[in-house]
Amino acid sequence: MSTKGFLVALMLAAFPMIGVFADGVRFLTVNAKDGTKTEFALADEPKLTFSDGELKIVASSRTFYIRLADLQNYAFSKESTGIAELLKDDKVTLENGFVVLSCLSAGSKVVIYMQDGKMVMEHKTDDKGMAVVDLSVLPKGVLILQSNKRSIKIINR
């Protein structure tokens, strides 16, 4: 393992101790060099392991792998980059486990993808340009809702 890889591994291994001392920290975000971000709730108690130059994070029902050479950095935060952003948009609301998208074109297609790019659902808006997405039927984790050349990232828990 290179010196840089060892230092990254050492810093990430200290993550549980940092969480104890960081008041209010609730999320770990892993940033890859290609610009992708992967987020873990600390409440899910993510477990980190290192093997053959790769970082493995297991949290709840998902497992994430990244080569240490592809890792840019990581950060701890109090707020998620997911649902919290949704609530700031008056065209997208969260209501009782449903995401409601409004002010779209009538008959627009809303496509829902997993973070890895796999399409999991497709909707069409009604004649008023509204789509209602039931989060309970979708897989847990990071989801991308895409319509009219606009993408919205959410975290389904």
Side-chain angles (χ1 to χ4, degrees):
M1 180 183 295
S2 71
T3 303
K4 178 182 175 185
F6 176 75
L7 291 175
V8 170
L10 183 62
M11 290 183 337
L12 284 173
F15 145 57
M17 292 182 288
I18 293 170
V20 170
F21 298 110
D23 183 39
V25 170
R26 299 183 335 184
F27 298 94
L28 165 67
T29 303
V30 177
N31 299 302
K33 288 181 180 175
D34 67 3
T36 59
K37 295 180 181 191
T38 306
E39 188 170 65
F40 299 90
L42 296 184
D44 291 340
E45 299 179 3
K47 307 288 187 255
L48 291 80
T49 57
F50 302 93
S51 177
D52 300 324
E54 189 171 67
L55 167 64
K56 175 183 174 183
I57 302 175
V58 178
S60 295
S61 62
R62 71 178 172 140
T63 302
F64 172 77
Y65 295 91
I66 186 168
R67 290 179 355 156
L68 293 177
D70 297 332
L71 179 66
Q72 180 176 356
N73 62 26
Y74 66 93
F76 296 94
S77 64
K78 292 182 181 183
E79 288 189 20
S80 166
T81 59
I83 298 287
E85 291 178 16
L86 265 179
L87 300 177
K88 296 176 186 172
D89 189 335
D90 61 348
K91 296 177 186 168
V92 181
T93 58
L94 180 63
E95 299 174 12
N96 299 321
F98 293 86
V99 176
V100 180
L101 299 121
S102 57
C103 300
L104 298 171
S105 303
S108 293
K109 187 170 29 170
V110 177
V111 183
I112 302 159
Y113 298 95
M114 290 294 297
Q115 183 177 4
D116 64 4
K118 178 183 174 190
M119 185 179 80
V120 292
M121 186 178 281
E122 187 174 297
H123 270 287
K124 283 205 176 191
T125 60
D126 62 18
D127 58 349
K128 295 178 184 173
M130 183 181 291
V132 179
V133 178
D134 182 358
L135 293 175
S136 70
V137 300
L138 294 172
K140 303 296 182 202
V142 177
L143 300 172
I144 310 296
L145 284 71
Q146 188 174 44
S147 182
N148 296 343
K149 298 184 181 182
R150 182 172 182 205
S151 296
I152 299 166
K153 178 176 121 178
I154 64 168
I155 299 175
N156 188 18
R157 296 190 180 160

